Amino acid sequence: GKVVRFTITTLGCKVNSYESNYYKEQLEKRGHQMVEVNSPCDVCIINTCTVTNTAAAKSRQKIHSLKKTHPNALIVVVGCYVQHADQQEREKLNVDLIIGANHKNELVMRIEELLKDHVRKDLVEDIRDFTSFEEMPIHVYESKHRAFLKIEDGCNQFCSYCAIPYARGRQRSLSKEKVIEIAQSLSNKGHYEIVLTGIHTGRYQDGDTTLAKLLRELLEKTDGRVQYRISSIEITEVDDELIELMKQTTRICRHLHIPIQSGCNETLQRMNRPYTIEEFKQRLDHIRKEIPDISISTDVIVGFVQESEEEFETTYKNLEDFAFSFLHVFPYSKRNGTAASRMKGEVHGSIVKERVNKLLALSNKLRQKDMERFTDLEVLIEKQDQDGVYHGYCQQYHPVKIYSDVPLATRIHVTWDEIKDHTYIVLKKEGSLCD
């Protein structure tokens, strides 16, 4: 058939970016050509998000504006927003192809069908019917040593603020064999760091293979130079086996991102989170005792329904005490259909903004403090700009900038000279290369 020019617009999370990458790779494999989003094209793909009402509205606006810009192109809408929307809302979009949380790996075939027969299709099914994990292996990440491997999708946790279980469905995992096969293929292409990712990565389960068991096998069955990073994990899922494994090998990066969401028990309870602050702290102390050179960062939601001044103060104090390495701060944003959207007592926007800024300032202070703990860094070199400036992240996931006369590649050991704008600066000197 003829070469089809396509554009992809992505809203939302890292898992969405991962999936968009997959669509691009699959389409290019069939000889189609990706073009800039405003260039003339035959097919427009919009990968949508629904995590908040604002995200859903942005998804809708994007669809409408792309329809205007590309009146003759086929419009393909995929992902969380359309999965969460009802049929009437989907019909109003007036687009050519709609794919929800299922059939994502048939996207290319469906687009080619559509180009042939021009029959509009809506493939959204009831979210409760999804039980199998759709494979979406991506095999090439250009120019980067770090690659992402999606091993899990969906969530069963039903935190009161979150629409994800309704949009992505129940937990399901990629089979262990498949994970290992993809990791080996990434490793053969020179990716020295593989980030295991998912909506709820810590709940990975294939038969009796848990995340820790999966990692153990990945370490055995991939090149010794390959290191693994876990994108995000709940405190209740950092089990003793995982801690034990991290103690035995430095091939699992010394960084965990563990979302706390709030530092106050009352707030956590309204959020329907599965732990108390005391339990969180106890586990945190245990992880750090076992793995002293670990850095732990977190997510926190500010201005959740009914969050009082006292609750916020408690959160602030605990986040400071817990010495996280940095905070990702999210202002609470309502999502219709969630339990929280039915609660009274929204916090005023200007108060939320003020609290967000306080926590961002705290995050900077915490990052500085965490960075000062380390002298020797092991850095994965990811890119270089103009003459001899290299960028990467150390094991603890702090950014590093290295000035070097000699070309640097893959992984190196360095000691830093200064910390500037929350980045380690390494001035010109020959670093000892890691094996």
Side-chain angles (χ1 to χ4, degrees):
K2 73 180 194 74
V3 172
V4 175
R5 296 161 305 170
F6 67 93
T7 69
I8 302 183
T9 304
T10 308
L11 296 109
C13 68
K14 280 200 176 117
V15 178
N16 263 9
S17 318
Y18 179 97
E19 290 169 357
S20 288
N21 251 325
Y22 168 80
Y23 304 141
K24 169 178 181 283
E25 191 175 282
Q26 295 301 311
L27 282 158
E28 286 174 345
K29 236 188 228 157
R30 304 275 299 157
H32 303 311
Q33 182 195 353
M34 172 115 154
V35 294
E36 285 302 308
V37 82
N38 291 324
S39 325
C41 67
D42 310 295
V43 177
C44 273
I45 300 165
I46 302 111
N47 191 354
T48 59
C49 174
T50 196
V51 73
T52 61
N53 288 347
T54 317
K58 271 191 188 143
S59 296
R60 274 194 303 274
Q61 284 155 0
K62 234 340 155 216
I63 296 164
H64 293 313
S65 84
L66 285 163
K67 276 168 62 179
K68 259 204 199 81
T69 329
H70 302 286
N72 304 319
L74 294 168
I75 305 288
V76 177
V77 182
V78 63
C80 292
Y81 165 66
V82 280
Q83 179 65 53
H84 197 256
D86 60 24
Q87 195 175 349
Q88 203 182 354
E89 197 175 336
R90 297 200 303 272
E91 279 165 11
K92 269 212 319 247
L93 292 173
N94 194 15
V95 298
D96 300 285
L97 176 63
I98 295 182
I99 293 181
N102 228 2
H103 304 294
K104 289 177 180 173
N105 53 6
E106 298 169 13
L107 184 87
V108 177
M109 175 187 95
R110 299 287 183 169
I111 286 175
E112 291 182 341
E113 248 171 39
L114 180 64
L115 288 159
K116 266 211 302 286
D117 62 19
H118 291 276
V119 178
R120 292 188 156 185
K121 286 204 177 75
D122 179 335
L123 301 176
V124 176
E125 303 157 42
D126 190 315
I127 197 77
R128 287 172 299 229
D129 300 342
F130 306 160
T131 48
S132 67
F133 183 93
E134 292 190 331
E135 278 166 38
M136 294 185 157
I138 298 176
H139 294 96
V140 182
Y141 283 88
E142 314 85 77
S143 78
K144 269 199 192 146
H145 290 303
R146 175 181 296 137
F148 291 82
L149 172 43
K150 182 181 159 193
I151 62 170
E152 188 277 345
D153 202 342
C155 182
N156 296 356
Q157 197 157 284
F158 289 95
C159 300
S160 66
Y161 48 79
C162 184
I164 294 301
Y166 307 102
R168 279 185 175 266
R170 298 298 158 274
Q171 278 158 215
R172 47 208 186 279
S173 300
L174 183 56
S175 77
K176 176 179 82 176
E177 290 70 34
K178 214 61 217 185
V179 176
I180 290 165
E181 186 189 314
I182 298 169
Q184 287 168 339
S185 137
L186 288 169
S187 145
N188 294 340
K189 296 201 167 70
H191 295 295
Y192 288 115
E193 186 182 297
I194 296 176
V195 183
L196 300 181
T197 174
I199 293 296
H200 201 143
T201 316
R203 293 274 177 97
Y204 177 86
Q205 192 82 40
D206 178 26
D208 53 9
T209 304
T210 55
L211 182 60
K213 291 189 171 66
L214 176 72
L215 273 161
R216 198 177 290 277
E217 284 208 39
L218 283 168
L219 293 167
E220 281 163 24
K221 295 182 175 165
T222 49
D223 185 312
R225 287 171 298 188
V226 176
Q227 293 186 353
Y228 291 89
R229 205 179 266 290
I230 301 163
S231 61
S232 178
I233 189 167
E234 294 283 348
I235 193 79
T236 47
E237 294 150 8
V238 186
D239 57 19
D240 293 346
E241 194 179 352
L242 183 60
I243 294 174
E244 206 33 58
L245 189 60
M246 287 183 80
K247 276 170 70 174
Q248 291 162 13
T249 173
T250 56
R251 285 179 60 199
I252 301 174
C253 292
R254 290 299 184 248
H255 171 250
L256 287 174
H257 186 75
I258 309 178
I260 191 168
Q261 306 303 13
S262 164
C264 168
N265 283 333
E266 287 71 25
T267 321
L268 286 171
Q269 208 173 352
R270 287 198 304 282
M271 288 178 166
N272 196 27
R273 297 289 289 164
Y275 49 80
T276 63
I277 281 305
E278 292 71 25
E279 290 163 346
F280 195 102
K281 179 75 163 78
Q282 201 182 348
R283 199 68 194 150
L284 206 57
D285 291 344
H286 177 66
I287 298 168
R288 287 172 169 155
K289 189 172 117 273
E290 298 295 312
I291 313 165
D293 62 341
I294 196 165
S295 285
I296 297 173
S297 53
T298 198
D299 290 337
V300 54
I301 294 172
V302 182
F304 187 63
V305 193
Q306 298 166 28
E307 182 182 64
S308 63
E309 205 46 61
E310 296 74 45
E311 285 187 6
F312 176 71
E313 282 311 316
T314 306
T315 286
Y316 186 95
K317 206 177 123 346
N318 282 327
L319 292 175
E320 192 170 31
D321 289 349
F322 290 10
F324 287 110
S325 58
F326 57 83
L327 315 172
H328 283 162
V329 184
F330 303 94
Y332 169 66
S333 177
K334 184 170 163 177
R335 184 63 184 111
N336 297 354
T338 58
S341 70
R342 297 187 287 276
M343 296 177 185
K344 294 273 176 284
E346 283 191 32
V347 182
H348 194 280
S350 59
I351 296 176
V352 177
K353 211 174 189 161
E354 197 181 302
R355 290 178 188 173
V356 166
N357 290 335
K358 277 186 186 163
L359 287 185
L360 289 173
L362 174 62
S363 178
N364 287 339
K365 206 168 80 177
L366 291 172
R367 193 190 279 268
Q368 180 75 19
K369 218 167 129 178
D370 192 68
M371 290 176 82
E372 285 167 359
R373 293 168 47 210
F374 306 101
T375 43
D376 301 313
L377 311 174
E378 187 177 317
V379 185
L380 182 78
I381 301 289
E382 289 180 63
K383 62 177 208 289
Q384 80 183 96
D385 353 292
Q386 75 285 0
D387 307 337
V389 183
Y390 294 85
H391 298 264
Y393 282 85
C394 65
Q395 275 241 355
Q396 286 79 10
Y397 209 61
H398 292 304
V400 184
K401 203 165 152 184
I402 303 171
Y403 294 83
S404 167
D405 292 332
V406 294
L408 303 176
T410 61
R411 241 187 230 106
I412 65 164
H413 281 291
V414 290
T415 53
W416 55 274
D417 295 288
E418 57 175 332
I419 296 174
K420 203 165 134 196
D421 301 328
H422 313 291
T423 304
Y424 286 120
I425 307 291
V426 180
L427 300 170
K428 290 193 171 122
K429 58 169 179 287
E430 309 234 339
S432 64
L433 290 164
C434 290
D435 340 320

